[in-house]
Amino acid sequence: MSASLPGNRDLPASQYNLKSYWGRVRQSAEIADPRTLLVSSAGLERAKSLVSSYKQGRLQSMTPELWRAKKIVDSTLHPDTGQPVFLPFRMSCFVISNLIVTAGMLTPGLKTTGTLLWQITNQSLNVAINSANANKSTPLPTSTLIKSYFLAVSASCSVALGLNSLVPRLKQVSPSTRTILTRLVPFAAVASAGALNVFLMRGEEIRRGIDVFPSLNDEQKAQKAKDRIDNESIGKSKKAATLAVSETALSRVLNATPIMVLPPLILVRLQRTEWLKARPRMVLPVNLGLILTTSIFALPLALAAFPQRQVIQAKQLEKEISDRVGEDVMVEFNRGI
């Protein structure tokens, strides 16, 4: 993100009001815009140069070109390291990366082997995305990464296989209801394991804490920019880390809910129509279309549930933090995605 580039003058956080949910939705839609994946290395360097020029005072005002440069930088660079996030694991590639995996998990009539393979594939992708976008002020050891991966895979496979075994035994419900419940098994597995995955992958942040910074108003930011002073970390906070990881886990569940619930329910209804009964080969493309459409709209809504830069009072964090800056002082931290 632009915050990781050199310069003491911060760019406006967004063209939109990030204090409102819909403002964050519009901002999230920009970050998740897959068109930014087509930007070349030279285009990224030009965008970084333009943003740096503003931050260093060589450009005085925001222009449409500068807003586009900021969009490219924000969707490509990690906010802590300033390095490009590996392309398949960027939020702008989230819909594309998850399309085939989600379609695989939602395939009607999936057997045990297929269920296991798709759940393993999904959790592997989740681990990669979580790791690539996590708060980097607290690095994750490789041993913890491997342990977290196997625990998340075990959890998702256990939930999926357990529910697949349980649903057919529900004799008190109608066959149509059992069909719907069977189609929703992947959602239960993905939602539970996805939330667990975030906590496991980012557990080191909770144990060690993440960097917390003073939350500055426009006047304070301008003064620091004038004096060429960086906004330095106040210290590491475990409470901030717990809040950041919890909100990220919840946003993953929110994102999975429409994607894993709406397409299978709609597909069940469509499979009862004469048109699809006469064209069984169309089930897969229809399923893909439903998942793609739902994902495009669901991702910005889920990402916008919580602010990327979370601002809270220092008294809500550890005593050493509030003692250092004052209980009523507002501080902020990077939540991660």
Side-chain angles (χ1 to χ4, degrees):
M1 286 192 170
S2 55
S4 62
L5 296 179
N8 299 306
R9 182 187 179 200
D10 289 333
L11 276 77
S14 173
Q15 300 180 73
Y16 315 111
N17 178 17
L18 298 184
K19 293 181 180 179
S20 73
Y21 174 69
W22 290 111
R24 294 197 298 273
V25 168
R26 297 179 71 182
Q27 174 67 9
S28 298
E30 296 225 327
I31 294 175
D33 186 349
R35 290 175 298 179
T36 60
L37 299 172
L38 302 176
V39 176
S40 64
S41 298
L44 175 59
E45 290 303 318
R46 285 195 297 272
K48 288 167 63 177
S49 176
L50 200 58
V51 169
S52 295
S53 294
Y54 180 91
K55 294 187 69 175
Q56 293 168 355
R58 295 195 295 272
L59 293 177
Q60 298 305 314
S61 60
M62 297 297 293
T63 63
E65 185 182 11
L66 186 52
W67 279 118
R68 171 164 170 72
K70 183 180 185 299
K71 174 181 176 178
I72 293 170
V73 168
D74 285 351
S75 63
T76 305
L77 303 185
H78 193 283
D80 294 328
T81 65
Q83 297 300 314
V85 176
F86 186 46
L87 190 146
F89 308 147
R90 296 175 193 169
M91 284 300 106
S92 52
C93 196
F94 187 90
V95 171
I96 300 171
S97 299
N98 277 270
L99 179 60
I100 301 301
V101 176
T102 304
M105 290 189 292
L106 294 179
T107 300
L110 206 59
K111 303 300 181 184
T112 299
T113 301
T115 298
L116 289 174
L117 288 176
W118 282 116
Q119 288 295 333
I120 291 171
T121 302
N122 181 59
Q123 290 308 317
S124 300
L125 180 60
N126 283 344
V127 165
I129 291 173
N130 289 343
S131 177
N133 292 282
N135 187 301
K136 299 299 184 184
S137 64
T138 304
L140 183 69
T142 303
S143 59
T144 303
L145 179 66
I146 295 172
K147 178 182 177 182
S148 300
Y149 169 70
F150 282 108
L151 286 173
V153 166
S154 299
S156 65
C157 291
S158 298
V159 171
L161 293 180
L163 290 178
N164 275 336
S165 175
L166 175 63
V167 170
R169 299 176 186 173
L170 300 176
K171 303 301 182 183
Q172 66 272 29
V173 300
S174 66
S176 60
T177 302
R178 281 202 299 272
T179 299
I180 291 173
L181 291 176
T182 300
R183 298 288 179 91
L184 294 180
V185 165
F187 164 67
V190 168
S192 58
L196 176 64
N197 188 303
V198 173
F199 279 100
L200 292 173
M201 288 292 300
R202 297 178 60 181
E204 199 66 19
E205 296 176 29
I206 296 175
R207 288 187 286 273
R208 295 172 57 184
I210 59 175
D211 285 321
V212 177
F213 302 87
S215 180
L216 307 178
N217 57 36
D218 292 340
E219 184 179 337
Q220 291 170 322
K221 289 178 181 178
Q223 186 60 48
K224 279 187 174 287
K226 182 179 179 181
D227 297 337
R228 298 186 179 278
I229 300 174
D230 290 329
N231 193 20
E232 296 183 353
S233 171
I234 300 169
K236 290 186 180 291
S237 169
K238 296 179 182 179
K239 290 185 177 180
T242 301
L243 180 60
V245 175
S246 299
E247 290 183 347
T248 300
L250 181 55
S251 72
R252 291 298 168 85
V253 175
L254 293 174
N255 186 44
T257 300
I259 297 172
M260 303 296 290
V261 171
L262 294 179
L265 293 182
I266 295 173
L267 189 61
V268 166
R269 298 295 296 271
L270 292 177
Q271 284 180 302
R272 295 172 183 167
T273 64
E274 294 300 325
W275 185 85
L276 203 54
K277 284 180 181 179
R279 300 169 178 82
R281 292 184 179 180
M282 290 300 296
V283 171
L284 179 57
V286 168
N287 198 20
L288 285 171
L290 289 171
I291 293 167
L292 177 61
T293 303
T294 308
S295 299
I296 289 172
F297 289 102
L299 182 59
L301 296 173
L303 291 177
F306 306 103
Q308 174 68 30
R309 299 290 296 186
Q310 186 70 274
V311 179
I312 61 174
Q313 286 185 308
K315 65 182 179 182
Q316 295 178 255
L317 303 179
E318 288 82 354
K319 190 174 186 300
E320 55 266 30
I321 297 288
S322 59
D323 286 347
R324 193 171 302 164
V325 299
E327 289 190 351
D328 296 325
V329 172
M330 304 302 291
V331 297
E332 65 179 39
F333 54 87
N334 173 33
R335 175 174 65 82
I337 296 180

